[in-house]
Amino acid sequence: MFNIEDIRAQWAKQRPDIDTAPMATIGRVVRLSALLCEQMSKTHEKHGLNSASFDVLATLLRSGPPYALSPNDLLATMMVTSGTMTNRIDQLEKDGLVERVRNPKDRRSVFVQLTETGRKIIDAAVTDHVMVQRNLVEGLSDEDLATLNGILDKGLAALSQD
Amino acid sequence: MFNIEDIRAQWAKQRPDIDTAPMATIGRVVRLSALLCEQMSKTHEKHGLNSASFDVLATLLRSGPPYALSPNDLLATMMVTSGTMTNRIDQLEKDGLVERVRNPKDRRSVFVQLTETGRKIIDAAVTDHVMVQRNLVEGLSDEDLATLNGILDKGLAALSQD
DNA sequence: CCATTTTATCTTGATGTCAAGATAACCGCA
DNA sequence: TGCGGTTATCTTGACATCAAGATAAAATGG
């Protein structure tokens, strides 16, 4: 519908002083990310999940048996606030996909554990999800992917320091 | 804190059947996008804006004099719903940065036009914004940026068809 | 010229998120 | 033992967004 080079052309006309080369690349990264998320989200919804709940369940699954992590562990890997995590867990618990299990060693904390239903659902959803991801990058060769990983890592390195 | 290769290693252990190569690249794109947006957002806030209002004002600015577009034009370029756009314009109007001007040719529609205050603010914010963008990509060479643009365009082409 | 369809914008109610703060339990050290 | 600081989780209120539908004006086409 509208592309980034058109936007650069507009800026060149209205604000010829500015350097739009960084914008050209950043714009592509942000746009591509949004489109990828939109597509992946459709898959999650097919399994009765949204992206947020998929993320929580997938994190539990890949942690391996007994599929239990604390809310604190979960929010640290997901870069969301504690209030957001409480809400996500509440929803998943209401749907019977996880349960809160008390931690006998520390009564402040709980474990969020996949139920059997939750494990089955996320197992299937992940299988579907990775197939969709394969399709989403099918326009790119293995070499493209490797090149992309390398350059993106350079960009990530500059931003992830802390 | 945690990186994408660690996540792949977890999956390799728990679900050795799945192909995580696409995930490795998609994960990097999405993560980098989030970090870039976070940084850019800080700049917007310095000018009393959020990312949403910056987007609207910048779109008006780059459209050139008379800095006026319809809500419909704006929401089309921004991929948000009409309700969201109504809300964004309401906020900006309340802050005196834009005003709604009736379209004499079509009484269903209005123009959203930058006020003089709004024009000054977005002009300064854009100047700042592009400098920040330059800093955000400073870890990448011009060649990296060009390579990245090329590969991202391939990915975008596959997803933007409609 | 009227009825129907389309277009442009706004309204409403639900949801997911955050920031800030509340609550409760744990820890270290006197 | 007990007190101050820290940690883990939850609560609250505000906000941006969306989907669905309401409203009003314009375009279409018999």
Side-chain angles (χ1 to χ4, degrees):
Chain A
M1 136 124 347
F2 74 117
N3 76 57
I4 291 162
E5 294 303 322
D6 291 343
I7 293 175
R8 289 186 77 184
Q10 280 191 303
W11 282 122
K13 196 156 188 166
Q14 303 303 327
R15 285 289 305 271
D17 58 305
I18 67 178
D19 168 17
T20 56
M23 174 189 298
T25 303
I26 292 174
R28 282 171 169 86
V29 172
V30 173
R31 178 88 52 87
L32 182 58
S33 171
L35 291 170
L36 290 170
C37 287
E38 193 182 324
Q39 292 304 312
M40 294 189 294
S41 185
K42 285 184 193 169
T43 307
H44 303 153
E45 271 155 28
K46 276 187 206 154
H47 294 266
L49 305 170
N50 60 24
S51 295
S53 53
F54 177 88
D55 259 10
V56 173
L57 297 180
T59 302
L60 290 171
L61 182 65
R62 73 169 198 261
S63 76
Y67 307 116
L69 294 170
S70 73
N72 222 23
D73 293 337
L74 288 167
L75 70 91
T77 65
M78 267 166 237
M79 307 197 283
V80 298
T81 63
S82 61
T84 297
M85 190 50 62
T86 297
N87 183 52
R88 289 185 181 187
I89 297 166
D90 285 349
Q91 297 307 314
L92 289 168
E93 196 168 36
K94 200 166 63 184
D95 293 344
L97 305 186
V98 303
E99 54 191 3
R100 285 181 168 94
V101 180
R102 294 194 25 210
N103 179 351
K105 299 281 177 60
D106 182 344
R107 284 187 304 172
R108 286 170 306 180
S109 79
V110 296
F111 291 118
V112 179
Q113 182 164 36
L114 286 181
T115 61
E116 188 53 25
T117 307
R119 203 197 54 71
K120 282 179 185 151
I121 286 177
I122 190 58
D123 211 54
V126 163
T127 301
D128 208 357
H129 175 73
V130 297
M131 288 194 304
V132 168
Q133 286 189 317
R134 168 52 69 193
N135 289 336
L136 288 173
V137 299
E138 78 182 344
L140 305 181
S141 65
D142 286 354
E143 194 190 333
D144 283 338
L145 291 180
T147 305
L148 206 43
N149 288 348
I151 301 178
L152 293 173
D153 276 343
K154 277 204 230 178
L156 283 165
L159 284 167
S160 304
Q161 61 228 8
D162 70 279
Chain B
M1 136 126 346
F2 73 115
N3 76 56
I4 292 161
E5 293 305 322
D6 291 343
I7 293 174
R8 290 186 78 184
Q10 279 191 305
W11 283 122
K13 197 155 185 166
Q14 302 305 326
R15 286 286 307 269
D17 59 305
I18 67 178
D19 168 19
T20 57
M23 173 188 299
T25 302
I26 292 174
R28 282 171 170 87
V29 172
V30 173
R31 178 86 53 86
L32 181 58
S33 172
L35 290 170
L36 290 169
C37 288
E38 192 182 325
Q39 293 303 311
M40 294 188 295
S41 184
K42 285 184 192 168
T43 307
H44 303 153
E45 271 155 28
K46 276 187 205 153
H47 293 266
L49 305 170
N50 59 28
S51 295
S53 52
F54 176 90
D55 260 10
V56 173
L57 297 180
T59 302
L60 291 171
L61 182 65
R62 72 169 199 260
S63 76
Y67 307 116
L69 294 170
S70 72
N72 222 23
D73 293 336
L74 288 167
L75 71 90
T77 65
M78 265 167 238
M79 308 197 284
V80 297
T81 63
S82 61
T84 297
M85 190 51 63
T86 297
N87 182 52
R88 289 185 180 187
I89 296 165
D90 285 349
Q91 297 306 313
L92 289 168
E93 196 168 37
K94 200 166 64 184
D95 293 344
L97 305 185
V98 303
E99 53 191 3
R100 284 181 168 92
V101 181
R102 294 191 28 206
N103 178 351
K105 300 280 177 59
D106 183 343
R107 285 188 302 171
R108 286 171 304 180
S109 78
V110 296
F111 291 118
V112 178
Q113 181 165 36
L114 286 180
T115 61
E116 187 53 25
T117 306
R119 205 197 51 73
K120 282 179 185 152
I121 286 177
I122 190 58
D123 212 54
V126 164
T127 302
D128 208 358
H129 175 73
V130 296
M131 288 194 305
V132 168
Q133 286 189 318
R134 168 53 69 192
N135 290 336
L136 288 173
V137 299
E138 79 180 345
L140 305 182
S141 65
D142 286 354
E143 193 189 334
D144 283 338
L145 291 180
T147 305
L148 207 43
N149 288 349
I151 301 178
L152 294 173
D153 276 344
K154 278 204 228 177
L156 283 165
L159 284 166
S160 304
Q161 61 228 8
D162 71 282

